[in-house]
Amino acid sequence: MLRLIARRLIFAVVTLWVVSMVVFSAIELLPGDACQAFLGQMAQGKRLENCRTEHNLNAPAYVRYADWALGLSAGDLGKSIKRSKPLEDIIGPRFRNTVILGMTAALVGIPLAILLGALAALYRDRRPDLWISFIAIFCMTVPEFITGTLLISFFSVWLGWLPGIVIMRADAPLLDVLSKIVLPVMTLTLVMVAHIMRMVRTSMIDVLASDFVMMSQLKGVSRLRQVLMHALPNALLPTINLIALNIAWLMGGVLVVEVVFNYPGIGRLSVNAISDRDFPLVQAIALLMASLYVGLNLIADLLALLLNPKLRSRGVG
Amino acid sequence: MGAMVDILKGVMATRSGKIGVVLVTFHLVLALVAPWLVPFDFDAQSAVIDHAGPSLAHWAGLDILGRDVLTRTMLGGREALLVTLFGTGLAVIWGSFFGVLAGYLGGRVDDLIMRSVDIFLAIPWMIFLLLVIASFGNAPMVMILTLGFFYGIGVVRMARAATLEVVVKDYVLAAKARGESTLSIMANEILPNVRDVLMVESAMRWSWMLLAFSALSFLGFGVTPPTPDWGLMIANSRIYLALAPWPVLMPMIALSSLIIGINLTADALAKSLGVDKTTRALV
Amino acid sequence: MTAPLLTIENLSIGFRGPDDQPVFIVREVNMSLAAGETLGLVGESGCGKSSLLLAMMGYYKPGLGRLSGSLSYDGEDPGLISSHQLQALRGGGMALIPQNAGQALTPTLRIKAQMIEVLRLHSDLAPSAWHPRCIELFERVKLPAPEQMLKRYPHELSGGQQQRVAIAMALAGEPNLLLLDEPTTGLDVTTQVEVLALLQEICRDLGTAMVYVSHDIQVIQKVCNQIAIMYAGEIVEMGSRATLLAAPVHPYTQGLLASIPRLHQQTLPRPIAGEMLQPVHRGSSVGCGYANRCLLATDQCQATSPAPRVVMDRWVKCHEVEAAVAGELIRPAQKLLAPALGENLLLAVEDLSVSYQRPSLVRALLGHKPLATVQGVTFGIRQGEILGLVGESGSGKSTILKTIAGLQRSLSGRITLSGTDDLAGPVESRARGCLRKVQLVFQNPDASLNPRKTIGEILRRPLELYFELAPTVMNDEVDALLHRVNLPESYKGRFPGQLSGGEKQRVAIARALAAKPELILCDEITSALDVSVQAAILKLLLDLRADSGVSLLFVSHDLAVVETLCDSVLVLEGGEVREAGLCAEVFKNPQHAYTQALMKAVPIADPRKRKDENDVVHIT
Ligand code: SF4
């Protein structure tokens, strides 16, 4: 068991290391260096030269990678080309906001998705399932920017209940953030619930057809207990990893949601950074997002390991 | 060929399948013939007024620049369809090759491929897409290659999972014991038996890639103005939604109907092929 | 006479087909069971025996339902009582012991939680008494270390232990009726014997009534006093064990008993021609379900369903009872004499060791030897010889076969074919001509044929691979292959899904024959088939050997099958050879204790070998 955990941890660190190399070399491979990209094709002479010396661009790639990687491990994300503030100060609060957004969506979405998925499986091919599945198809097929736009026009333009566009400073206090994220969270949750619900439904249908659920029924166990004690845990266990993987993939949608709602998070920052061609900033954000992903999967792995008796005893033996 | 007809019949046997096929066919045909059907030039500005509502001349009204919304909506899916069709094809081909290979060979090859997949999945794909487009431009070829690459990663996982269910079957062992080559086993024994799952999953992935493409153009990275595109149209007109809903609603309806059509088709396909128990996860 | 515990009248189970025609899984079954009585339901897979058993608990598999008839347990119909009463009945009044206990226990719950669940629902014990009661029950079913067992999860138990837990769980509600659904299928013979002994003991001590469903009449006769034979959804013959086994009347019962291979019987079991029609193919036809295979079938049999009659102290459903009683319907054939075996050793295996562990650098550096599944096995097969490899699961018998086939790497040792071809390496390292000489047939016919290829394509593939043939010759060759395994040529265009299990296995054998092999490796190739079909495959194998002089390596867990078919035998335990020799000698006079134990574990369907105390003929 401990060995398994250790292996997962080592793999997470290795993944991050490889990702950092991929990110770095990908940006190296883009035409022009960071200063050229930022200042434009026409830039030349003194200004370009100054910029290059300031960002140490004249050093060979492996030296710069080593510098960057060493800095990263010491918590130094690097220097923005456009802005003078240290990257930590730019990214920090925005990263916090994105994590709050994502976590809230997950906290609301996952239980809801499990509930709906289980219900749909229990009523397979009957009315509740057809409705849930139909609405799910709708939610997962309509792009976030459309859902977002529709939600804004409904809740803020038409009903006037909630602010449509988030207007706040990136480093606003936590309470301020929480009060403003209702609509963005809703947008993100709809897609997430739809996807996770479908996974839970499939897995639950499998488990409901298994021998041990039938056996529990033939032991005289009540329907509710059959579902809660015998079926659901066994349906969820194999999906934990899948859910984490898909939440991480769906986080790509955070970019769009943040732009739609003008939410000061890391996603909108990255869009701006790319528009500004501020490569060091992009590089740092990409790595942060990757570590978020790795962390999420690590938690899921450990959770699966802890909850699944089969995995647990394999680790012992 | 006969198999394809049978499959289509199976899909058309359900109501959702019928709706789906009709929607998808409508969009595909429209994309092909729209340039000869549109009432106006997509970039022509009506000098008189902008943001006019529907009229006899302009059935769906005009946008902020006074351009005909119907014309732009009819043309707005062409690039998206082109890019995502080829992108999905690319993703499915390379993804299923590596997925089947990993699943069949197992051992070290499997480890290597799957660990690489894990690492690629950790890369924030949306940021990378934007970065590539920002650097190399948004020519369809660039989009096809990058989208095809990132969406193929999920296909690898999916194809491997499907293969793992087949490799344990004795007929694969029998082929191996007979002395068949690896390629022959992959093509003759495994592929025919994972084909159904691959088809359904590809359809789903096509719809997700359309979502990604429209998100890109919404962010301003997908197509270059004034080329009409649904995502871009929504992005440009959405602040005037309360004022003039048509320029937003038209592309919204077009995009959603296409994606819902694909999903309904995929669902019906899965039901009729009996593979509706696949996980159908994004990755 | 007291009122029976369970009565079933005219019960039919099934579903409505596309045009609202009923499709019967179980058809017009009548029976009754008194308290304390034990009834065995015997039938082939798909005959409806499990559906009938589950119906007794008021349960129908999804899609199925009761079409007509009535059921009553203790005066109440389980289909008509409230869900509350039903919950009290299931696990309380009657309890099920399932087929595969490993899958019937919930993987995420500890054994204790699952035991207590039953006690909470079906006993009046105070919570403090639950734990001691669990221990008591576990001791009852002879589980070792009951305290520890309670703390474990299902997957941490062996198959036999899981089955015992399932039995203890069924006993927890102190039921009056135990329903057993093939409780020992999937267990090794030696474990099976122990579980059967336990069940006998429970019946005797607790006086619980029992309905025991199995495909294996030899198991049934060990535990049950009443036997009912089911075929195609109907009970065709029912009576006390002694009368029924001593003189079977129904043509199917006669055929079934004649098709079972038995130890020390010098004759070849006789197959029943054809296979049972599946429910959808039977449709709602009105005739006798056995008519397509019956030697006595008349026009009347096709037209009307026979009415049940009481003959010779039993209940039979057949039009031609008199003819069946009079005629010697099945005459056991003599065992074919083995052809003079060649002197030459075809296959020589010397000191073979195999391990499933991947060779790892770390382990090698640490000096750990990989764990061997097979250790130092040596044997040979002569030309035209059939060698049986017997042993329980984990004995390494399939591993040896896979290694010879090149699907598993050996750790050490030599395997040579005809003295020249080296078979120690994996498939990839072997020349095509060498591959051709050794062919493989698998256990499960459903998995051994690619479902996407036609039978013709499947048979053509080895021909293309090993021989260069003109297309017309190829076609003739495929026809000839089908002919050799007694299948019609028209099967070329069919897909495996359209064939029955026995037919698929014939195709698999034909595919092996296509290569004109010198050695065919058979991995439990009859154990997934029904006995009446198995006998036909055994006969086919003997015929093929007589025709072509091919050698067979026949892996099996069934001693009787091995004795019937093989010339010599190798007994394996834990990856090592325990005993080897000619079948005639080893089976007559087993030397090794393990062989003796294996032989003792074989249940024998011979009524004279068992004492019958309280057989009562019970006829409804
Ligand atoms: S009724 Fe006819 S077909 Fe059926 S078993 Fe009797 S003789 Fe054979």
Side-chain angles (χ1 to χ4, degrees), chain A residues 156-180:
Chain A
S156 47
V157 180
W158 198 45
L159 291 175
W161 286 358
L162 296 162
I165 304 284
V166 180
I167 303 170
M168 67 173 192
R169 290 163 49 86
D171 49 3
L174 194 64
L175 264 181
D176 272 15
V177 181
L178 283 177
S179 68
K180 300 225 159 105

CSV table of all heavy atoms in Angstrom, one decimal, chain A residues 156-180:
chain,number,residue,atom,x,y,z
A,156,SER,N,-29.7,38.1,-15.3
A,156,SER,CA,-29.4,39.5,-15.0
A,156,SER,C,-30.1,40.5,-15.9
A,156,SER,O,-30.6,41.6,-15.4
A,156,SER,CB,-27.9,39.7,-15.1
A,156,SER,OG,-27.4,39.1,-16.2
A,157,VAL,N,-30.2,40.2,-17.2
A,157,VAL,CA,-30.9,41.2,-18.0
A,157,VAL,C,-32.4,41.2,-17.8
A,157,VAL,O,-33.0,42.2,-17.6
A,157,VAL,CB,-30.5,41.0,-19.5
A,157,VAL,CG1,-31.2,42.0,-20.4
A,157,VAL,CG2,-29.0,41.0,-19.7
A,158,TRP,N,-32.9,40.0,-17.8
A,158,TRP,CA,-34.4,39.9,-17.8
A,158,TRP,C,-34.9,39.9,-16.3
A,158,TRP,O,-35.8,40.7,-16.0
A,158,TRP,CB,-34.8,38.5,-18.4
A,158,TRP,CG,-36.2,38.5,-18.8
A,158,TRP,CD1,-36.9,39.5,-19.5
A,158,TRP,CD2,-37.1,37.4,-18.6
A,158,TRP,NE1,-38.2,39.1,-19.7
A,158,TRP,CE2,-38.4,37.8,-19.2
A,158,TRP,CE3,-37.0,36.1,-18.0
A,158,TRP,CZ2,-39.5,36.9,-19.1
A,158,TRP,CZ3,-38.1,35.3,-18.0
A,158,TRP,CH2,-39.4,35.7,-18.6
A,159,LEU,N,-34.4,39.1,-15.5
A,159,LEU,CA,-34.9,39.1,-14.1
A,159,LEU,C,-34.2,40.2,-13.2
A,159,LEU,O,-34.7,40.6,-12.2
A,159,LEU,CB,-34.7,37.7,-13.5
A,159,LEU,CG,-35.5,36.6,-14.0
A,159,LEU,CD1,-35.2,35.3,-13.4
A,159,LEU,CD2,-37.0,36.9,-13.7
A,160,GLY,N,-32.9,40.5,-13.6
A,160,GLY,CA,-32.2,41.4,-12.8
A,160,GLY,C,-31.8,41.0,-11.5
A,160,GLY,O,-31.6,41.8,-10.5
A,161,TRP,N,-31.7,39.7,-11.2
A,161,TRP,CA,-31.3,39.1,-9.9
A,161,TRP,C,-29.8,39.1,-9.6
A,161,TRP,O,-29.4,39.4,-8.5
A,161,TRP,CB,-31.8,37.7,-9.8
A,161,TRP,CG,-33.3,37.6,-9.7
A,161,TRP,CD1,-34.2,38.6,-9.6
A,161,TRP,CD2,-34.0,36.4,-9.6
A,161,TRP,NE1,-35.5,38.1,-9.5
A,161,TRP,CE2,-35.4,36.7,-9.5
A,161,TRP,CE3,-33.7,35.0,-9.6
A,161,TRP,CZ2,-36.4,35.8,-9.4
A,161,TRP,CZ3,-34.7,34.1,-9.5
A,161,TRP,CH2,-36.1,34.5,-9.4
A,162,LEU,N,-29.1,38.8,-10.6
A,162,LEU,CA,-27.7,38.6,-10.4
A,162,LEU,C,-26.8,39.4,-11.3
A,162,LEU,O,-27.3,39.7,-12.4
A,162,LEU,CB,-27.3,37.1,-10.6
A,162,LEU,CG,-28.0,36.1,-9.7
A,162,LEU,CD1,-27.9,34.7,-10.3
A,162,LEU,CD2,-27.3,36.1,-8.3
A,163,PRO,N,-25.6,39.8,-10.9
A,163,PRO,CA,-24.8,40.6,-11.8
A,163,PRO,C,-24.4,39.7,-13.0
A,163,PRO,O,-24.0,38.5,-12.8
A,163,PRO,CB,-23.6,40.9,-10.9
A,163,PRO,CG,-23.6,39.8,-9.8
A,163,PRO,CD,-25.0,39.5,-9.6
A,164,GLY,N,-24.4,40.3,-14.1
A,164,GLY,CA,-24.1,39.5,-15.3
A,164,GLY,C,-22.6,39.4,-15.5
A,164,GLY,O,-22.0,38.3,-15.7
A,165,ILE,N,-22.0,40.5,-15.4
A,165,ILE,CA,-20.5,40.6,-15.6
A,165,ILE,C,-19.9,40.7,-14.3
A,165,ILE,O,-20.4,41.6,-13.5
A,165,ILE,CB,-20.1,41.7,-16.5
A,165,ILE,CG1,-20.9,41.7,-17.9
A,165,ILE,CG2,-18.6,41.8,-16.7
A,165,ILE,CD1,-20.3,40.6,-18.8
A,166,VAL,N,-18.9,40.0,-14.0
A,166,VAL,CA,-18.2,40.1,-12.7
A,166,VAL,C,-17.3,41.3,-12.8
A,166,VAL,O,-16.4,41.4,-13.6
A,166,VAL,CB,-17.4,38.9,-12.4
A,166,VAL,CG1,-16.7,39.0,-11.1
A,166,VAL,CG2,-18.3,37.6,-12.4
A,167,ILE,N,-17.5,42.3,-11.9
A,167,ILE,CA,-16.6,43.4,-11.8
A,167,ILE,C,-16.0,43.4,-10.5
A,167,ILE,O,-16.6,43.7,-9.5
A,167,ILE,CB,-17.4,44.8,-12.0
A,167,ILE,CG1,-18.2,44.7,-13.4
A,167,ILE,CG2,-16.5,46.0,-12.0
A,167,ILE,CD1,-19.1,45.8,-13.6
A,168,MET,N,-14.7,43.0,-10.5
A,168,MET,CA,-14.0,43.1,-9.2
A,168,MET,C,-12.5,43.0,-9.5
A,168,MET,O,-12.1,42.6,-10.6
A,168,MET,CB,-14.5,41.9,-8.3
A,168,MET,CG,-14.1,40.5,-8.8
A,168,MET,SD,-14.4,39.3,-7.6
A,168,MET,CE,-13.6,37.9,-8.3
A,169,ARG,N,-11.8,43.4,-8.5
A,169,ARG,CA,-10.3,43.2,-8.6
A,169,ARG,C,-9.9,41.8,-8.4
A,169,ARG,O,-10.6,41.1,-7.7
A,169,ARG,CB,-9.6,44.1,-7.5
A,169,ARG,CG,-9.8,45.6,-7.8
A,169,ARG,CD,-9.4,46.4,-6.5
A,169,ARG,NE,-8.2,45.9,-5.9
A,169,ARG,CZ,-7.0,46.3,-6.3
A,169,ARG,NH1,-6.8,47.3,-7.2
A,169,ARG,NH2,-5.9,45.8,-5.7
A,170,ALA,N,-8.8,41.4,-9.0
A,170,ALA,CA,-8.4,40.0,-8.9
A,170,ALA,C,-8.2,39.6,-7.5
A,170,ALA,O,-8.5,38.5,-7.1
A,170,ALA,CB,-7.2,39.8,-9.7
A,171,ASP,N,-7.7,40.6,-6.7
A,171,ASP,CA,-7.3,40.2,-5.3
A,171,ASP,C,-8.4,40.6,-4.3
A,171,ASP,O,-8.1,40.9,-3.1
A,171,ASP,CB,-6.0,40.8,-4.9
A,171,ASP,CG,-5.9,42.2,-5.2
A,171,ASP,OD1,-6.9,42.8,-5.7
A,171,ASP,OD2,-4.8,42.8,-5.0
A,172,ALA,N,-9.7,40.6,-4.8
A,172,ALA,CA,-10.8,40.9,-3.9
A,172,ALA,C,-10.9,39.9,-2.8
A,172,ALA,O,-10.5,38.8,-3.0
A,172,ALA,CB,-12.1,41.0,-4.7
A,173,PRO,N,-11.4,40.3,-1.6
A,173,PRO,CA,-11.5,39.3,-0.5
A,173,PRO,C,-12.4,38.2,-0.9
A,173,PRO,O,-13.3,38.3,-1.7
A,173,PRO,CB,-12.1,40.1,0.7
A,173,PRO,CG,-12.4,41.5,0.2
A,173,PRO,CD,-11.8,41.6,-1.2
A,174,LEU,N,-12.2,37.0,-0.2
A,174,LEU,CA,-12.9,35.8,-0.5
A,174,LEU,C,-14.4,35.9,-0.6
A,174,LEU,O,-15.0,35.4,-1.5
A,174,LEU,CB,-12.5,34.8,0.6
A,174,LEU,CG,-12.8,33.3,0.2
A,174,LEU,CD1,-12.0,32.9,-1.0
A,174,LEU,CD2,-12.5,32.4,1.4
A,175,LEU,N,-15.0,36.6,0.4
A,175,LEU,CA,-16.4,36.7,0.4
A,175,LEU,C,-17.0,37.4,-0.8
A,175,LEU,O,-18.0,37.0,-1.4
A,175,LEU,CB,-16.9,37.5,1.6
A,175,LEU,CG,-17.2,36.6,2.8
A,175,LEU,CD1,-17.7,37.5,4.0
A,175,LEU,CD2,-18.3,35.7,2.5
A,176,ASP,N,-16.2,38.5,-1.3
A,176,ASP,CA,-16.6,39.2,-2.5
A,176,ASP,C,-16.6,38.2,-3.7
A,176,ASP,O,-17.6,38.2,-4.5
A,176,ASP,CB,-15.6,40.3,-2.8
A,176,ASP,CG,-16.0,41.6,-2.1
A,176,ASP,OD1,-16.9,41.4,-1.2
A,176,ASP,OD2,-15.5,42.6,-2.5
A,177,VAL,N,-15.6,37.4,-3.7
A,177,VAL,CA,-15.5,36.4,-4.9
A,177,VAL,C,-16.7,35.5,-4.8
A,177,VAL,O,-17.4,35.3,-5.8
A,177,VAL,CB,-14.2,35.6,-4.8
A,177,VAL,CG1,-14.1,34.7,-6.0
A,177,VAL,CG2,-13.0,36.6,-4.7
A,178,LEU,N,-17.0,34.9,-3.7
A,178,LEU,CA,-18.0,33.9,-3.6
A,178,LEU,C,-19.4,34.5,-4.0
A,178,LEU,O,-20.2,33.8,-4.6
A,178,LEU,CB,-18.1,33.4,-2.1
A,178,LEU,CG,-17.0,32.4,-1.8
A,178,LEU,CD1,-17.1,32.0,-0.4
A,178,LEU,CD2,-17.1,31.2,-2.7
A,179,SER,N,-19.6,35.8,-3.7
A,179,SER,CA,-20.9,36.4,-4.0
A,179,SER,C,-21.1,36.6,-5.5
A,179,SER,O,-22.2,36.8,-5.9
A,179,SER,CB,-21.1,37.7,-3.2
A,179,SER,OG,-20.2,38.6,-3.7
A,180,LYS,N,-20.0,36.6,-6.2
A,180,LYS,CA,-20.1,36.9,-7.6
A,180,LYS,C,-20.1,35.8,-8.6
A,180,LYS,O,-20.2,35.9,-9.8
A,180,LYS,CB,-18.9,37.9,-8.0
A,180,LYS,CG,-18.9,39.2,-7.1
A,180,LYS,CD,-18.7,40.4,-8.0
A,180,LYS,CE,-19.2,41.6,-7.3
A,180,LYS,NZ,-18.1,42.4,-6.7
